[in-house]
Amino acid sequence: MKGKAVVAMSGGVDSSLAAALMAREGWQVSGVTLKLLPGVSTGFGCCGSPSDIDDAKRVCETLAIPHYTLNMSELFEDKVVKPFVEAYLGSLTPNPCVECNRSLKFGHLLALAKAWGAEALATGHYARVKDGRLYKAKNEDKDQSYFLYSLSRSELSLARFPVGELSKSEVRAQARALGLKTADKPESQEICFVPRRDYRGFLKARPEFSREDSAPGPIVDTSGRLVGRHQGLSSYTVGQRKGLGLPGSRPRYVVGLKARENALVVGEAEETFCSEFTAGEVSWTQGRPPEGLRARARIRHRHPPAWASLAPRPGREVSVRFDEPQRAVTAGQAVVFYDGEEVLGGGTISPQGGIQ
């Protein structure tokens, strides 16, 4: 029999099978569901709604393991939701899943698990850990290593990702064979606290949102020529083509947001490409890497990693120079660095020259 393990259970099939696989390996498993949003009656993904909590409980009953619910709604609001809102209102495009993993699952929950005497924290992420190093999932289409780049060497020594070697169809098949209630439960493609993918509606309902945040302003091309009017910068992101409302037949794309001038900058398709940028709040899974590092850099979850040269800068910054220009490098998003299948680390893309 192995030691104690905590499994973060969202109420979905991936974390359900993760708990089952940990128990099968001989761990003394406890399932934990995080209630992240107060007063929600339906789930949008992993927010700990009553239906998600009930599904996780039923799975734990089937597996004959204890289940606990932890209310982390205040921490989630402080560490994830508020920064998400502030970033958008500051003309950035945030990635809340990165912060949720950093602050809640592998921050607060991991600390609690250690306090309970647990020797491992498992989740349903599609990723792999080998010898304390983080790797992509075997199934590239489901890989979630991008969202886990902030994990440190000590955190990785306790992390377990039991479904990282499996495809989604294999996960569902094994869950069915075990009689788990969640085997055929649909998966969410949404940010868990933003229903119907309507982040604009979500922002407008927040107390931080003001008339100034939806104030119309100029749309200019990269030469500074006025070409139209926008309806509030928080409704746009770099690379966006639809919804600009500009006259003419040729497509134009958002290439930047100038918050001080309340101006939206648009350009041709080729003007959305970028060769060099700076990332801040950089962390490394195995400690600071050597100077002159070459790595593949991924600037969005679904972006194919591209070769780049990395140059450390003062503090926790790094300069990233691509071999080939990449489309829609977006301030606020995560950039993650890979050596083959291994995740080296990552950071947050910084605004460039006053333009996102």
Side-chain angles (χ1 to χ4, degrees), residues 49-89:
S49 70
S51 60
D52 292 330
I53 293 171
D54 184 68
D55 286 343
K57 284 182 177 179
R58 299 290 84 77
V59 168
C60 287
E61 289 174 358
T62 300
L63 299 175
I65 62 175
H67 176 266
Y68 305 94
T69 301
L70 298 181
N71 188 340
M72 291 192 181
S73 57
E74 290 187 6
L75 185 65
F76 187 69
E77 169 72 16
D78 183 57
K79 296 293 186 180
V80 179
V81 180
K82 283 185 177 179
F84 173 87
V85 174
E86 290 168 358
Y88 263 117
L89 298 185

Side-chain angles (χ1 to χ4, degrees), residues 2-176:
K2 295 186 178 181
K4 295 180 180 179
V6 168
V7 181
M9 301 184 68
S10 67
V13 64
D14 300 322
S15 57
S16 297
L17 185 64
L21 294 177
M22 291 291 285
R24 189 168 72 185
E25 288 180 13
W27 291 92
Q28 301 173 50
V29 174
S30 295
V32 174
T33 301
L34 306 182
K35 183 173 177 56
L36 303 180
L37 294 178
V40 293
S41 58
T42 58
F44 307 133
C46 56
C47 61
S49 70
S51 60
D52 292 330
I53 293 171
D54 184 68
D55 286 343
K57 284 182 177 179
R58 299 290 84 77
V59 168
C60 287
E61 289 174 358
T62 300
L63 299 175
I65 62 175
H67 176 266
Y68 305 94
T69 301
L70 298 181
N71 188 340
M72 291 192 181
S73 57
E74 290 187 6
L75 185 65
F76 187 69
E77 169 72 16
D78 183 57
K79 296 293 186 180
V80 179
V81 180
K82 283 185 177 179
F84 173 87
V85 174
E86 290 168 358
Y88 263 117
L89 298 185
S91 300
L92 303 176
T93 304
N95 196 312
C97 295
V98 168
E99 194 55 49
C100 184
N101 284 304
R102 174 167 32 212
S103 295
L104 275 79
K105 294 186 179 72
F106 293 95
H108 196 66
L109 180 58
L110 180 57
L112 286 176
K114 291 167 68 176
W116 294 340
E119 299 173 40
L121 171 63
T123 72
H125 285 99
Y126 285 84
R128 294 179 291 172
V129 175
K130 295 181 180 179
D131 300 322
R133 293 178 176 271
L134 179 62
Y135 295 87
K136 293 179 183 178
K138 183 177 181 181
N139 181 2
E140 183 94 16
D141 289 340
K142 298 298 295 181
D143 176 57
Q144 294 173 304
S145 62
Y146 173 88
F147 302 107
L148 301 169
Y149 76 80
S150 67
L151 298 188
S152 67
R153 187 181 304 171
S154 61
E155 290 167 337
L156 288 169
S157 69
L158 300 172
R160 301 290 186 276
F161 305 118
V163 304
E165 298 283 350
L166 305 174
S167 67
K168 189 72 176 192
S169 59
E170 290 171 330
V171 167
R172 291 196 184 279
Q174 291 194 32
R176 289 189 203 102

Side-chain angles (χ1 to χ4, degrees), residues 37 42 44 190-199 202:
L37 294 178
T42 58
F44 307 133
E190 302 175 359
I191 297 173
C192 71
F193 57 89
V194 179
R196 299 176 298 279
R197 301 186 184 183
D198 181 16
Y199 81 89
F202 175 81

Side-chain angles (χ1 to χ4, degrees), residues 255-261 265 274 276-278 313 331 349-356:
V255 299
L257 296 86
K258 292 187 175 183
R260 290 183 180 179
E261 296 91 338
V265 185
C274 173
E276 186 173 6
F277 64 92
T278 299
R313 298 180 58 169
I349 299 171
S350 303
Q352 310 301 311
I355 300 179
Q356 171 182 297

